[in-house]
Structures are given as structure tokens and as C-alpha cells.
Amino acid sequence: MHRCSSLTSLPKELENLTSLTILYINGCSRLTSLSNELGNFKFLTILNISNCYSLISLLYELCYLTSLTTLNIRGCKNLMSLPNEFCNLTSLTTLNMRGCENLISLPNELGNFISLTTLNMNGCSSLTSLPNELGNFTSLTTLNMNGCSNLTSLPTELGHLTSLTTLNMNEYFSLTSLTNQLDNLTSLTTLYMNRCSRLISLPNELETFQSLTIFDISDYYSLTTLLNELDYLTSLTTLNMNGCSSLILLLNELSNLTSLTTLNIREYKNLTSLLNELDNLTSLTILDINRCFSFTSLSNKLANLKSLTIFDISYCFNLISLPNELSNLTSLTTLNINGCIRLTSLPNELDNFKSLTIFDIGYCFNFILLPNKLNNLTSLTTLNMRGYKSLTSLPKEFGNFTSLTTLNINSYKKLLLMLLFDITDK
């Protein structure tokens, strides 16, 4: 009964289907209540009543569905509470409550879901606390609490979830501190903590997260320093620190993260240079430092990042020059220096970028001359040169870009005519 938007009640005939194992009544936006007879579906394993916007309560008869393994009430935004009788659903492995924005509390009896492996509370923004019984979910591997913006604290019992591999606690705007809740979560591989805007420090227990591969602390506005324990995260492959605008120092411990493939430090306003220690990150494939407005220079040792495929330094307004060693990054497929308004030239050895497909040099206002070797970038498919003021000529070999599919030199008609003439001439 998918998206039966005119349905206001379940058909009475449904009660005869007692052998049902799967029932979807999702998207029935005018459905205000469920049938009492649902409790007769003893064999039901999957019940999906997501996006039933008008549903304001769940019947206690649901507690008779003792074979249920998956319950999806995603998007039931007018649902305010769950019945205490839910405690009988001991076979439940997946509970999705995403977007139940008016759900104000969870019953303590939820702790009986000892088989639960996945719990999604994303966007349950009216929750102000979690029951201590959450600690009974010892089989839980994935916990999504993203957008539970009114939670001011986490239960200590969260530390009992020793099977947890993925924890998402983004947008915890009211959370001010983490004590010892996370120290036992040694199986964690993925931890999202972005936009926890009032937290001023990272968990002290970072050194216990030996299995962590993805760590996201983007938009951690009040974070001022990184802990020494960060260097214990030797399995880390992705580190996102975008928008940590109060962060004063990138500690040398980053150099120990030799498994790192993705490093995002976008909008890190206090970053003035790329530390030499990053040259140890030889597995790095993506480096994003765009909008680091105080950034002035790149280390020559950047050349050691031989695996780098995507490098974004756009809108680094105070970057004055690019080291010639940049041309050693021969695996680059994307290079973005858009908006680096103080740059006056590119390295002459650009022809080493044989794999480059996307090159964005838009709004580099002070470029006067482009190197002739630019035409050797024969793999280039996208070139952005929008917004030039000082550039007066293009290399005549520019017409060699035979793989080019997108070219943007908008607003500069003279350059456009020159380029079109050159290509036509070829």
C-alpha cells in the first residue's frame, strides 16, 4: 500500500491475511491510526509505516508482533510517543525512527531490544534525553543520533555498546561536554561528530579507537586544539575537520596518520601554511584546504604526496605562489585554485600533469601570462578560466585541448574570440 495518499484507515479485509511476513503501508499521509487487528500478524517480520504524517500514536497491539525484525516509522513526524508495550519486540534487529521530529521521549522498556543491531534516530529533534536502558543494546553495530539537537547529555551507559562500529552524533547543538561515555567503544570504525558547535574538546578516549577509519569533526566551531591522542588513530583513512574556525594549531601528530587517504581542513581560518609533517601522508589521495583565508604558502615537501588525485586550494586569498615541486604530483586528476586572487603565475612544469582532467583557475585576477606547456594537458576535460582581469594573451597551442568538453572564460569576450579563432584555425 505504497503512497496511498487518500487512505484514512486500513481496509478491514487486511485482518484475514494472518500469514503475512512483510507489510508496507508507507507514504499513506492521511492515515491517522492503525488497525487493532495488526496484532494478529504473528509471522510478520518487516513492518514499514514510514511517512505516515498524520499518525499520532502506535497501538499497543503491535507488541504481539514477536517475529518482527524490522520496524520502520521514519518520517512519522506527528508521532509523540512509543507504547511501553514495545518491550515484547525482542526479535527486533532494525528500528528506524528517522525524522520523528515530535517524538519527545523513549520508553525505558526499549532496553528489552537486546537483538537490535541498527537504531536510527536521525532528526528526532524533540528528544531531550535518552533512557539509561540504551546500554542494553549490546548487539548494536550502528547508532545514528544525527540531528538530535536538543539532547544536552549522553547516558553513561552508552559505553556499554561494545559492538558499535558506526556512531553518528552530528548536530548536537546543545551538548557541551563528553566525559567517559565513549571510552569502551573500541570497535568503532566510523565516528561522525560534526556541527557539535558547543563542544570545546575531543573525547579524551581517542587513543582507544584503534579501529577507527572515518572521523568527522567538521564545523566543530568551539574546538581550539587537537589532542595528542590523535596520533594513535593509525587506521584512520578519512579525517574531516572542515570549518573548525577556532582551531589554532594542527599538531604534529597528523604525521603519524600514514593510512590517511582523505584529509579535509576546509575553512580552517587560522591555518597559515601546510606543515612539513604532512609529507609523511604518502597514501593521501584527496587534500582539501579551500577557504583557508590566512593560508600563505605550500610546503615544498608537498611533492612527496605522490598518490594525490584531488587537490583543492580554492579561495585561499593570501596564497602568493605555488612551489615548482607541485608539478611532481603526477597522479593529480583535479586541481582547483579558483579564487586565489594573489597568485600571479603557475609553475612552468604543469605539463607533468598528464592525468589532469579538471583544472579550475577561475578568478585568479592577477594572472598575466599562462605557461606555454599548459597545452600539454591533453587529458583535460574541464577548464575554468572565468573572471580574468589582467590576462592579455593565450598560448597559441591552446587549441590542442582535444579532450576538452567544458570551457568557461565567461565575461571576457576578447579572450573567447581569440581562443575560438585558434581552435578553428587548427
Side-chain angles (χ1 to χ4, degrees), residues 357-362 370 374 377 380-386 388 398 401 404-409 419:
T357 58
I358 299 174
F359 194 20
D360 192 339
I361 50 177
L370 294 176
L374 190 67
L377 306 182
L380 213 59
T381 59
T382 300
L383 177 60
N384 180 15
M385 297 175 53
R386 182 175 181 174
Y388 279 71
F398 226 55
F401 292 149
L404 207 62
T405 59
T406 302
L407 173 62
N408 189 348
I409 51 176
L419 183 58

Side-chain angles (χ1 to χ4, degrees), residues 307-320:
S307 300
L308 206 63
T309 59
I310 298 175
F311 188 26
D312 189 344
I313 50 175
S314 56
Y315 300 103
C316 292
F317 297 144
N318 287 299
L319 184 64
I320 298 172

Side-chain angles (χ1 to χ4, degrees), residues 167-213:
L167 175 59
N168 186 335
M169 41 186 289
N170 296 338
E171 299 180 17
Y172 266 43
F173 302 132
S174 301
L175 192 65
T176 56
S177 66
L178 292 170
T179 51
N180 299 318
Q181 294 101 324
L182 305 182
D183 57 354
N184 292 327
L185 307 184
T186 55
S187 299
L188 271 184
T189 60
T190 303
L191 177 57
Y192 293 100
M193 297 176 58
N194 72 62
R195 300 190 72 188
C196 296
S197 52
R198 297 184 65 188
L199 282 175
I200 60 174
S201 63
L202 296 175
N204 292 326
E205 308 82 16
L206 275 182
E207 62 186 62
T208 66
F209 300 157
Q210 300 288 317
S211 301
L212 202 64
T213 58

Side-chain angles (χ1 to χ4, degrees), residues 351-403:
D351 59 332
N352 289 348
F353 295 156
K354 302 295 186 184
S355 302
L356 201 66
T357 58
I358 299 174
F359 194 20
D360 192 339
I361 50 177
Y363 296 101
C364 294
F365 297 140
N366 288 308
F367 274 7
I368 299 172
L369 189 66
L370 294 176
N372 289 330
K373 292 183 180 180
L374 190 67
N375 73 289
N376 291 333
L377 306 182
T378 53
S379 298
L380 213 59
T381 59
T382 300
L383 177 60
N384 180 15
M385 297 175 53
R386 182 175 181 174
Y388 279 71
K389 291 183 177 180
S390 302
L391 193 63
T392 57
S393 65
L394 292 173
K396 63 179 181 180
E397 297 87 357
F398 226 55
N400 292 348
F401 292 149
T402 54
S403 299

Side-chain angles (χ1 to χ4, degrees), residues 7-78:
L7 192 70
T8 56
S9 61
L10 296 179
K12 187 171 178 57
E13 293 76 11
L14 195 65
E15 64 185 65
N16 297 324
L17 307 180
T18 54
S19 298
L20 272 182
T21 59
I22 299 173
L23 177 58
Y24 281 79
I25 49 179
N26 55 307
C28 300
S29 54
R30 298 182 63 188
L31 189 68
T32 57
S33 63
L34 300 175
S35 169
N36 292 337
E37 282 71 24
L38 277 183
N40 295 331
F41 298 156
K42 306 295 185 184
F43 301 104
L44 203 64
T45 59
I46 298 175
L47 176 59
N48 187 335
I49 50 178
S50 61
N51 298 317
C52 293
Y53 305 133
S54 301
L55 201 63
I56 57 174
S57 64
L58 297 178
L59 298 171
Y60 75 88
E61 281 85 0
L62 289 183
C63 72
Y64 297 125
L65 307 180
T66 52
S67 298
L68 205 63
T69 59
T70 300
L71 176 59
N72 189 347
I73 55 174
R74 173 178 177 164
C76 294
K77 58 185 180 181
N78 285 308

Side-chain angles (χ1 to χ4, degrees), residues 130-132 134-135 140 143 145 154-162 164 167 169 178 180-185:
L130 297 175
N132 294 336
L134 189 72
L140 203 66
L143 176 58
M145 302 188 291
L154 299 175
T156 304
E157 288 76 10
L158 190 66
H160 297 167
L161 308 183
T162 53
L164 206 62
L167 175 59
M169 41 186 289
L178 292 170
N180 299 318
Q181 294 101 324
L182 305 182
D183 57 354
N184 292 327
L185 307 184

Side-chain angles (χ1 to χ4, degrees), residues 208-275:
T208 66
F209 300 157
Q210 300 288 317
S211 301
L212 202 64
T213 58
I214 299 174
F215 191 25
D216 189 341
I217 50 173
S218 300
D219 299 320
Y220 215 121
Y221 304 128
S222 300
L223 183 68
T224 56
T225 58
L226 297 178
L227 294 174
N228 293 336
E229 287 81 0
L230 193 65
D231 69 344
Y232 289 100
L233 306 183
T234 53
S235 298
L236 210 60
T237 59
T238 300
L239 177 58
N240 289 331
M241 300 191 297
N242 299 333
C244 294
S245 52
S246 299
L247 196 60
I248 308 251
L249 182 65
L250 268 178
L251 296 185
N252 295 341
E253 283 74 15
L254 283 182
S255 65
N256 292 332
L257 307 182
T258 54
S259 298
L260 210 60
T261 59
T262 300
L263 176 59
N264 292 324
I265 46 179
R266 191 167 59 229
E267 298 177 24
Y268 177 6
K269 296 177 182 177
N270 294 308
L271 184 69
T272 58
S273 63
L274 207 54
L275 300 181

